[in-house]
Protein backbone atom coordinates (compact mmCIF):
# COMPACT_ATOMS: atom_id res chain seq x y z
CA UNK A 1 0.00 0.00 0.00
CA UNK A 2 1.35 3.41 -0.90
CA UNK A 3 1.77 5.81 2.03
CA UNK A 4 2.45 9.53 1.91
CA UNK A 5 5.44 10.92 3.85
CA UNK A 6 3.12 11.97 6.66
CA UNK A 7 1.48 8.52 6.88
CA UNK A 8 4.90 6.82 6.78
CA UNK A 9 6.11 9.01 9.63
CA UNK A 10 3.08 7.93 11.65
CA UNK A 11 3.88 4.29 10.94
CA UNK A 12 7.53 4.86 11.90
CA UNK A 13 6.48 6.13 15.32
CA UNK A 14 7.64 9.70 14.73
CA UNK A 15 4.25 11.01 15.88
CA UNK A 16 4.01 8.99 19.07
CA UNK A 17 3.31 5.40 20.01
CA UNK A 18 -0.51 5.72 19.94
CA UNK A 19 -0.36 7.11 16.42
CA UNK A 20 2.07 4.34 15.36
CA UNK A 21 -0.23 1.62 16.68
CA UNK A 22 -3.23 3.24 15.00
CA UNK A 23 -1.49 3.48 11.64
CA UNK A 24 -0.48 -0.15 12.00
CA UNK A 25 -4.16 -1.12 12.41
CA UNK A 26 -5.14 0.93 9.35
CA UNK A 27 -2.32 -0.53 7.22
CA UNK A 28 -3.27 -4.07 8.25
CA UNK A 29 -6.89 -3.41 7.25
CA UNK A 30 -5.79 -1.80 4.00
CA UNK A 31 -3.69 -4.83 3.12
CA UNK A 32 -6.51 -7.28 3.89
CA UNK A 33 -8.96 -5.37 1.68
CA UNK A 34 -6.49 -4.47 -1.08
CA UNK A 35 -6.47 -0.68 -0.58
CA UNK A 36 -4.02 1.18 -2.82
CA UNK A 37 -3.55 3.87 -0.19
CA UNK A 38 -5.26 5.97 2.47
CA UNK A 39 -7.91 8.65 2.08
CA UNK A 40 -8.28 11.65 4.44
CA UNK A 41 -11.50 11.71 6.43
CA UNK A 42 -13.50 14.61 7.82
CA UNK A 43 -15.08 12.88 10.82
CA UNK A 44 -15.11 9.65 12.80
CA UNK A 45 -17.84 8.09 14.90
CA UNK A 46 -16.67 5.60 17.50
CA UNK A 47 -18.95 2.76 18.62
CA UNK A 48 -18.22 0.45 21.53
CA UNK A 49 -18.96 3.01 24.24
CA UNK A 50 -21.31 1.20 26.63
CA UNK A 51 -19.71 -0.76 29.44
CA UNK A 52 -22.37 -3.38 28.72
CA UNK A 53 -20.94 -4.01 25.24
CA UNK A 54 -17.18 -3.55 25.75
CA UNK A 55 -16.77 -4.69 29.38
CA UNK A 56 -13.52 -4.64 31.31
CA UNK A 57 -11.30 -5.54 28.33
CA UNK A 58 -12.66 -2.62 26.31
CA UNK A 59 -12.23 -0.21 29.21
CA UNK A 60 -8.58 -1.28 29.64
CA UNK A 61 -7.94 -0.90 25.88
CA UNK A 62 -9.24 2.67 25.95
CA UNK A 63 -7.36 3.59 29.14
CA UNK A 64 -4.15 2.20 27.62
CA UNK A 65 -4.67 4.25 24.45
CA UNK A 66 -5.35 7.40 26.51
CA UNK A 67 -2.26 6.82 28.67
CA UNK A 68 -0.11 6.49 25.53
CA UNK A 69 -1.19 10.04 24.69
CA UNK A 70 -3.64 9.12 21.91
CA UNK A 71 -5.34 12.26 20.55
CA UNK A 72 -7.81 12.48 17.70
CA UNK A 73 -6.98 14.94 14.91
CA UNK A 74 -10.39 15.25 13.25
CA UNK A 75 -13.89 15.84 14.73
CA UNK A 76 -14.77 12.57 16.46
CA UNK A 77 -18.06 11.59 18.08
CA UNK A 78 -19.29 8.83 20.34
CA UNK A 79 -22.06 6.30 19.87
CA UNK A 80 -24.56 5.88 22.76
CA UNK A 81 -23.19 4.95 26.17
CA UNK A 82 -24.82 2.64 28.71
CA UNK A 83 -26.64 5.38 30.61
CA UNK A 84 -27.91 8.93 30.63
CA UNK A 85 -24.98 10.89 32.07
CA UNK A 86 -27.28 13.23 34.01
CA UNK A 87 -30.26 11.09 34.99
CA UNK A 88 -28.66 7.69 35.61
CA UNK A 89 -29.50 7.62 39.31
CA UNK A 90 -33.14 8.58 38.77
CA UNK A 91 -33.37 5.95 36.02
CA UNK A 92 -32.05 3.32 38.43
CA UNK A 93 -28.83 2.39 36.67
CA UNK A 94 -26.73 0.29 39.08
CA UNK A 95 -23.95 2.46 40.62
CA UNK A 96 -21.22 -0.12 39.88
CA UNK A 97 -22.14 0.00 36.19
CA UNK A 98 -22.26 3.81 36.26
CA UNK A 99 -18.76 4.01 37.74
CA UNK A 100 -17.31 1.92 34.89
CA UNK A 101 -19.29 3.86 32.30
CA UNK A 102 -17.92 7.17 33.57
CA UNK A 103 -14.37 5.77 33.36
CA UNK A 104 -14.96 4.87 29.70
CA UNK A 105 -16.26 8.35 28.91
CA UNK A 106 -13.31 9.90 30.71
CA UNK A 107 -10.82 7.83 28.63
CA UNK A 108 -12.52 8.99 25.41
CA UNK A 109 -12.56 12.57 26.60
CA UNK A 110 -8.78 12.44 27.32
CA UNK A 111 -8.33 11.52 23.65
CA UNK A 112 -10.26 14.64 22.61
CA UNK A 113 -13.46 12.83 21.62
CA UNK A 114 -16.72 14.66 22.01
CA UNK A 115 -19.27 12.93 24.26
CA UNK A 116 -22.15 13.26 21.80
CA UNK A 117 -23.21 9.70 22.70
CA UNK A 118 -25.63 9.31 19.82
CA UNK A 119 -26.26 7.07 16.85
CA UNK A 120 -27.89 9.96 14.97
CA UNK A 121 -25.06 12.50 14.74
CA UNK A 122 -26.67 13.69 11.49
CA UNK A 123 -29.65 14.99 13.53
CA UNK A 124 -27.43 17.17 15.73
CA UNK A 125 -25.50 19.02 13.06
CA UNK A 126 -22.91 16.40 12.07
CA UNK A 127 -24.05 15.89 8.49
CA UNK A 128 -21.29 14.95 6.07
CA UNK A 129 -22.00 15.96 2.49
CA UNK A 130 -22.26 14.01 -0.76
CA UNK A 131 -18.91 12.38 -1.56
CA UNK A 132 -17.29 13.22 1.81
CA UNK A 133 -15.06 10.45 3.24
CA UNK A 134 -15.70 9.55 6.89
CA UNK A 135 -15.05 6.60 9.25
CA UNK A 136 -18.20 5.80 11.20
CA UNK A 137 -18.87 2.66 13.15
CA UNK A 138 -22.51 2.49 14.24
CA UNK A 139 -24.42 0.41 11.74
CA UNK A 140 -27.55 2.58 11.43
CA UNK A 141 -25.51 5.77 11.17
CA UNK A 142 -23.34 4.15 8.49
CA UNK A 143 -26.40 3.17 6.43
CA UNK A 144 -27.83 6.70 6.78
CA UNK A 145 -24.53 8.43 5.91
CA UNK A 146 -23.92 6.29 2.80
CA UNK A 147 -27.48 6.03 1.57
CA UNK A 148 -29.29 9.23 2.53
CA UNK A 149 -26.43 11.73 2.67
CA UNK A 150 -24.20 10.15 0.00
CA UNK A 151 -21.12 10.37 2.27
CA UNK A 152 -18.64 7.48 2.11
CA UNK A 153 -17.84 5.13 4.95
CA UNK A 154 -17.14 1.47 5.38
CA UNK A 155 -18.70 -0.43 8.23
CA UNK A 156 -15.94 0.35 10.72
CA UNK A 157 -15.44 -1.36 14.05
CA UNK A 158 -14.89 0.76 17.18
CA UNK A 159 -11.07 0.23 17.16
CA UNK A 160 -10.66 0.97 13.43
CA UNK A 161 -12.80 4.14 13.68
CA UNK A 162 -10.69 5.22 16.68
CA UNK A 163 -7.46 4.50 14.76
CA UNK A 164 -8.79 6.52 11.80
CA UNK A 165 -9.67 9.39 14.15
CA UNK A 166 -6.16 9.38 15.64
CA UNK A 167 -4.48 9.38 12.20
CA UNK A 168 -7.05 11.38 10.20
CA UNK A 169 -7.06 8.75 7.42
CA UNK A 170 -8.76 5.51 6.56
CA UNK A 171 -7.74 2.85 4.01
CA UNK A 172 -9.27 3.62 0.61
CA UNK A 173 -11.34 0.53 -0.21
CA UNK A 174 -14.94 -0.70 -0.19
CA UNK A 175 -17.58 2.02 -0.06
CA UNK A 176 -15.00 4.79 -0.45
CA UNK A 177 -14.68 3.74 -4.11
CA UNK A 178 -17.21 4.47 -6.89
CA UNK A 179 -17.10 0.93 -8.24
CA UNK A 180 -18.46 -0.53 -4.99
CA UNK A 181 -21.34 1.93 -4.59
CA UNK A 182 -23.55 -0.05 -6.93
CA UNK A 183 -26.77 -1.96 -6.25
CA UNK A 184 -27.21 -5.52 -7.47
CA UNK A 185 -30.67 -6.26 -6.03
CA UNK A 186 -33.75 -4.39 -7.28
CA UNK A 187 -36.55 -4.31 -4.72
CA UNK A 188 -39.99 -3.51 -6.14
CA UNK A 189 -42.13 -2.26 -3.27
CA UNK A 190 -45.74 -3.16 -3.93
CA UNK A 191 -47.41 -2.24 -0.64
CA UNK A 192 -48.24 0.98 1.16
CA UNK A 193 -45.87 1.48 4.10
CA UNK A 194 -47.99 3.15 6.77
CA UNK A 195 -45.48 4.14 9.44
CA UNK A 196 -42.01 3.81 10.90
CA UNK A 197 -42.61 0.22 11.96
CA UNK A 198 -43.51 -0.78 8.37
CA UNK A 199 -40.22 0.72 7.16
CA UNK A 200 -38.46 -1.23 9.94
CA UNK A 201 -40.24 -4.42 8.86
CA UNK A 202 -39.22 -3.89 5.24
CA UNK A 203 -35.65 -3.35 6.44
CA UNK A 204 -35.77 -6.63 8.35
CA UNK A 205 -37.10 -8.56 5.35
CA UNK A 206 -34.67 -7.05 2.84
CA UNK A 207 -31.76 -7.26 5.29
CA UNK A 208 -32.23 -11.03 5.42
CA UNK A 209 -33.20 -11.50 1.76
CA UNK A 210 -30.30 -9.43 0.38
CA UNK A 211 -27.70 -11.90 1.69
CA UNK A 212 -24.87 -9.42 1.27
CA UNK A 213 -26.24 -7.84 -1.94
CA UNK A 214 -26.81 -4.06 -2.17
CA UNK A 215 -30.54 -3.24 -2.51
CA UNK A 216 -32.10 -0.50 -4.62
CA UNK A 217 -35.77 0.28 -3.84
CA UNK A 218 -38.40 1.24 -6.39
CA UNK A 219 -41.92 2.42 -5.59
CA UNK A 220 -41.48 3.59 -1.97
CA UNK A 221 -43.77 6.43 -0.91
CA UNK A 222 -43.61 8.60 2.22
CA UNK A 223 -39.90 8.04 2.90
CA UNK A 224 -39.18 10.75 5.47
CA UNK A 225 -35.73 10.94 7.06
CA UNK A 226 -37.12 9.40 10.27
CA UNK A 227 -38.45 6.43 8.34
CA UNK A 228 -35.22 6.07 6.36
CA UNK A 229 -33.18 5.97 9.57
CA UNK A 230 -35.44 3.17 10.77
CA UNK A 231 -35.16 1.29 7.46
CA UNK A 232 -31.34 1.45 7.41
CA UNK A 233 -31.03 0.45 11.08
CA UNK A 234 -33.25 -2.55 10.54
CA UNK A 235 -31.51 -3.66 7.34
CA UNK A 236 -28.14 -3.48 9.07
CA UNK A 237 -29.39 -5.43 12.10
CA UNK A 238 -31.21 -8.21 10.22
CA UNK A 239 -28.55 -8.37 7.50
CA UNK A 240 -25.35 -6.46 7.00
CA UNK A 241 -26.36 -3.63 4.68
CA UNK A 242 -24.12 -0.57 4.87
CA UNK A 243 -25.68 1.13 1.83
CA UNK A 244 -28.94 1.10 -0.13
CA UNK A 245 -30.45 3.21 -2.87
CA UNK A 246 -33.99 4.53 -3.19
CA UNK A 247 -35.29 5.98 -6.42
CA UNK A 248 -36.02 9.68 -6.04
CA UNK A 249 -34.80 9.84 -2.43
CA UNK A 250 -31.14 8.95 -2.11
CA UNK A 251 -28.59 11.15 -3.89
CA UNK A 252 -26.99 8.30 -5.86
CA UNK A 253 -28.72 5.71 -8.07
CA UNK A 254 -26.39 3.08 -9.50
CA UNK A 255 -27.79 -0.34 -10.36
CA UNK A 256 -25.91 -3.01 -12.34
CA UNK A 257 -27.42 -4.27 -15.58
CA UNK A 258 -29.32 -7.50 -15.01
CA UNK A 259 -29.63 -7.06 -11.22
CA UNK A 260 -31.74 -9.70 -9.48
CA UNK A 261 -35.29 -8.48 -8.79
CA UNK A 262 -37.54 -9.20 -5.82
CA UNK A 263 -40.90 -7.85 -4.70
CA UNK A 264 -41.84 -6.68 -1.23
CA UNK A 265 -45.62 -6.77 -0.96
CA UNK A 266 -48.42 -7.09 1.59
CA UNK A 267 -47.70 -10.78 2.20
CA UNK A 268 -44.01 -10.18 2.98
CA UNK A 269 -44.88 -7.17 5.18
CA UNK A 270 -47.38 -8.97 7.37
CA UNK A 271 -45.28 -12.15 7.70
CA UNK A 272 -42.25 -10.08 8.73
CA UNK A 273 -44.20 -7.98 11.24
CA UNK A 274 -45.53 -11.14 12.79
CA UNK A 275 -42.11 -12.58 13.45
CA UNK A 276 -40.76 -9.29 14.84
CA UNK A 277 -42.89 -9.29 17.96
CA UNK A 278 -45.76 -10.81 19.87
CA UNK A 279 -48.25 -9.40 22.33
CA UNK A 280 -48.56 -9.23 26.11
CA UNK A 281 -47.94 -6.47 28.61
CA UNK A 282 -44.50 -4.84 28.32
CA UNK A 283 -42.43 -3.54 31.27
CA UNK A 284 -41.19 -0.66 29.13
CA UNK A 285 -42.19 1.22 25.99
CA UNK A 286 -38.96 2.22 24.29
CA UNK A 287 -39.00 4.74 21.44
CA UNK A 288 -35.90 6.18 19.80
CA UNK A 289 -33.91 3.51 17.99
CA UNK A 290 -32.11 5.05 16.19
CA UNK A 291 -32.16 8.05 18.52
CA UNK A 292 -35.38 10.03 18.16
CA UNK A 293 -35.62 13.25 16.20
CA UNK A 294 -37.37 16.27 17.71
CA UNK A 295 -40.42 15.50 15.53
CA UNK A 296 -40.59 11.96 16.92
CA UNK A 297 -40.40 13.28 20.50
CA UNK A 298 -43.16 15.74 19.66
CA UNK A 299 -45.30 12.87 18.33
CA UNK A 300 -44.91 10.97 21.62
CA UNK A 301 -45.65 14.12 23.65
CA UNK A 302 -48.85 14.69 21.66
CA UNK A 303 -49.85 11.07 22.24
CA UNK A 304 -49.40 11.14 26.05
CA UNK A 305 -50.50 14.73 26.78
CA UNK A 306 -52.77 14.82 29.81
CA UNK A 307 -52.56 11.04 30.39
CA UNK A 308 -51.00 8.90 33.11
CA UNK A 309 -49.15 5.93 31.65
CA UNK A 310 -49.36 2.58 33.38
CA UNK A 311 -46.10 1.42 31.74
CA UNK A 312 -42.63 2.91 31.97
CA UNK A 313 -41.86 4.97 28.81
CA UNK A 314 -38.43 5.92 27.52
CA UNK A 315 -37.85 8.15 24.51
CA UNK A 316 -34.12 7.81 23.75
CA UNK A 317 -32.37 10.62 21.97
CA UNK A 318 -29.19 12.68 21.59
CA UNK A 319 -28.52 15.14 24.40
CA UNK A 320 -28.72 18.08 21.99
CA UNK A 321 -32.12 16.88 20.75
CA UNK A 322 -33.26 16.44 24.36
CA UNK A 323 -32.26 20.03 25.08
CA UNK A 324 -34.42 21.15 22.15
CA UNK A 325 -37.28 18.97 23.46
CA UNK A 326 -36.85 20.51 26.94
CA UNK A 327 -37.10 23.98 25.41
CA UNK A 328 -40.14 23.09 23.33
CA UNK A 329 -41.93 21.70 26.42
CA UNK A 330 -42.14 18.11 25.03
CA UNK A 331 -40.00 16.67 27.85
CA UNK A 332 -42.27 18.17 30.50
CA UNK A 333 -45.40 16.73 28.85
CA UNK A 334 -43.80 13.26 28.66
CA UNK A 335 -42.60 13.48 32.28
CA UNK A 336 -46.05 14.55 33.48
CA UNK A 337 -47.43 11.39 31.90
CA UNK A 338 -44.82 9.35 33.79
CA UNK A 339 -42.31 8.87 30.97
CA UNK A 340 -38.73 10.00 30.46
CA UNK A 341 -36.79 11.58 27.63
CA UNK A 342 -33.49 9.76 28.03
CA UNK A 343 -30.26 11.08 26.51
CA UNK A 344 -26.86 9.47 25.76
CA UNK A 345 -28.10 5.85 25.78
CA UNK A 346 -30.72 3.49 24.40
CA UNK A 347 -32.79 0.43 25.28
CA UNK A 348 -30.22 -1.89 23.70
CA UNK A 349 -26.93 -0.66 25.17
CA UNK A 350 -28.19 0.18 28.70
CA UNK A 351 -28.07 -2.56 31.37
CA UNK A 352 -31.70 -3.55 30.74
CA UNK A 353 -31.36 -6.95 32.39
CA UNK A 354 -29.93 -5.46 35.60
CA UNK A 355 -32.84 -3.02 35.62
CA UNK A 356 -35.35 -5.88 35.60
CA UNK A 357 -36.79 -5.36 32.09
CA UNK A 358 -38.11 -8.58 30.56
CA UNK A 359 -40.64 -7.38 28.02
CA UNK A 360 -40.33 -4.26 25.85
CA UNK A 361 -42.54 -2.51 23.31
CA UNK A 362 -40.74 -0.72 20.48
CA UNK A 363 -41.21 0.71 17.00
CA UNK A 364 -37.70 -0.20 15.85
CA UNK A 365 -36.76 -3.22 13.76
CA UNK A 366 -33.21 -3.03 15.07
CA UNK A 367 -34.26 -2.90 18.74
CA UNK A 368 -36.74 -5.75 18.13
CA UNK A 369 -33.96 -7.91 16.69
CA UNK A 370 -31.39 -7.22 19.42
CA UNK A 371 -33.80 -7.40 22.33
CA UNK A 372 -35.16 -10.79 21.26
CA UNK A 373 -32.14 -12.49 19.71
CA UNK A 374 -29.27 -11.16 21.77
CA UNK A 375 -30.84 -10.29 25.11
CA UNK A 376 -33.71 -12.82 25.13
CA UNK A 377 -36.39 -10.24 26.02
CA UNK A 378 -39.96 -10.40 24.72
CA UNK A 379 -41.02 -7.67 22.29
CA UNK A 380 -44.23 -5.99 21.20
CA UNK A 381 -43.65 -4.33 17.81
CA UNK A 382 -45.69 -1.43 16.45
CA UNK A 383 -45.92 2.29 15.79
CA UNK A 384 -46.17 4.92 18.52
CA UNK A 385 -49.97 4.97 18.22
CA UNK A 386 -50.10 1.18 18.72
CA UNK A 387 -47.69 0.81 21.63
CA UNK A 388 -47.99 4.05 23.62
CA UNK A 389 -51.29 3.45 25.41
CA UNK A 390 -52.71 4.56 28.75
FE1 LIG B 1 -28.96 3.58 18.20
FE2 LIG B 1 -29.15 1.97 20.23
FE3 LIG B 1 -30.70 1.65 18.18
S1 LIG B 1 -27.29 2.71 19.36
S2 LIG B 1 -29.56 2.39 16.44
S3 LIG B 1 -30.69 3.42 19.56
S4 LIG B 1 -29.66 0.05 19.27
Amino acid sequence: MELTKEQQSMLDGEQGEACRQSMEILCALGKIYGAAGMVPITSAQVAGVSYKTIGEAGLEYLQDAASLGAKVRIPTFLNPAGMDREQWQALKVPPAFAKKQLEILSAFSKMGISSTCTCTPYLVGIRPKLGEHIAWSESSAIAFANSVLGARTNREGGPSALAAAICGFTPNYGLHLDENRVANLLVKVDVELKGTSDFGAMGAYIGEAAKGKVPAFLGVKGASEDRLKSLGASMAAWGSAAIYFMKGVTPEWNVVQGAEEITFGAKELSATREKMGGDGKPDIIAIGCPHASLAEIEEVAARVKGKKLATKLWVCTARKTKEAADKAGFTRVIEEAGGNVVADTCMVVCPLEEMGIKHAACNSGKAAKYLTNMFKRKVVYGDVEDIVCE
Side-chain angles (χ1 to χ4, degrees), residues 73-301:
R73 53 183 86 199
I74 51 161
T76 304
F77 313 98
L78 287 186
N79 206 39
M83 63 184 199
D84 184 310
R85 283 171 293 156
E86 292 180 7
Q87 303 184 85
W88 65 267
Q89 281 151 313
L91 296 171
K92 308 215 177 337
V93 173
F97 180 95
K99 181 175 171 292
K100 295 291 184 180
Q101 186 61 69
L102 292 172
E103 287 174 21
I104 290 171
L105 293 174
S106 153
F108 277 124
S109 151
K110 279 189 192 132
M111 293 187 250
I113 301 177
S114 161
S115 290
T116 43
C117 298
T118 184
C119 50
T120 57
Y122 48 86
L123 293 181
V124 292
I126 304 155
R127 278 178 86 91
K129 295 197 175 55
L130 181 65
E132 216 172 286
H133 296 274
I134 57 177
W136 285 15
S137 59
E138 196 284 317
S139 63
S140 77
I142 292 164
F144 194 93
N146 276 317
S147 315
V148 182
L149 303 179
R152 299 184 169 213
T153 178
N154 284 319
R155 200 167 162 157
E156 301 291 344
S160 68
L162 181 59
I166 290 167
C167 297
F169 298 97
T170 193
N172 198 12
Y173 69 94
L175 294 177
H176 291 284
L177 303 173
D178 288 344
E179 63 258 36
N180 298 319
R181 300 177 69 84
V182 180
N184 49 7
L185 178 70
L186 257 189
V187 182
K188 294 191 171 160
V189 180
D190 189 22
V191 60
E192 188 193 346
L193 302 171
K194 296 209 178 84
T196 300
S197 69
D198 277 353
F199 275 78
M202 181 166 78
Y205 180 85
I206 299 301
E208 284 190 334
K211 298 193 179 76
K213 289 193 167 173
V214 174
F217 294 90
L218 285 171
V220 178
K221 297 206 175 68
S224 63
E225 280 205 359
D226 285 337
R227 290 169 173 185
L228 291 173
K229 81 177 160 67
S230 174
L231 172 75
S234 199
M235 273 202 296
W238 291 76
S240 57
I243 185 169
Y244 63 86
F245 302 92
M246 191 173 284
K247 194 74 176 168
V249 175
T250 60
E252 295 164 90
W253 177 260
N254 301 316
V255 183
V256 289
Q257 284 281 338
E260 186 192 335
E261 290 184 16
I262 58 172
T263 299
F264 182 79
K267 189 166 62 98
E268 288 78 15
L269 177 61
S270 72
T272 310
R273 287 190 66 106
E274 203 149 298
K275 79 173 187 190
M276 290 173 77
D279 43 23
K281 193 182 163 349
D283 309 312
I284 188 170
I285 302 160
I287 308 294
C289 171
H291 270 173
S293 66
L294 189 60
E296 289 175 312
I297 301 174
E298 183 177 17
E299 184 193 0
V300 176

Side-chain angles (χ1 to χ4, degrees), residues 12 14 22 30 47 91 138 142 144 153 173 192 265 279 293 295 323 327 331 335 355 357 362 371:
D12 292 343
E14 288 164 11
S22 300
L91 296 171
E138 196 284 317
I142 292 164
F144 194 93
T153 178
Y173 69 94
E192 188 193 346
D279 43 23
S293 66
E323 284 163 6
K327 234 182 182 171
T331 306
E335 285 176 353
M355 294 160 75
I357 305 292
C362 65
L371 292 174

Side-chain angles (χ1 to χ4, degrees), residues 4-70:
T4 61
K5 263 191 184 165
E6 185 192 14
Q7 292 156 2
Q8 189 61 51
S9 94
M10 290 178 178
L11 189 61
D12 292 343
E14 288 164 11
Q15 303 196 33
E17 179 55 16
C19 194
R20 188 195 68 73
Q21 289 182 8
S22 300
M23 189 45 96
E24 211 169 64
I25 292 173
L26 300 178
C27 286
L29 274 173
K31 272 185 202 145
I32 292 168
Y33 292 104
M38 300 278 172
V39 64
I41 51 167
T42 53
S43 71
Q45 186 220 19
V46 180
V49 180
S50 170
Y51 182 66
K52 173 176 167 179
T53 53
I54 66 170
E56 211 49 33
L59 170 58
E60 269 173 37
Y61 177 84
L62 295 171
Q63 285 175 329
D64 285 352
S67 68
L68 282 175

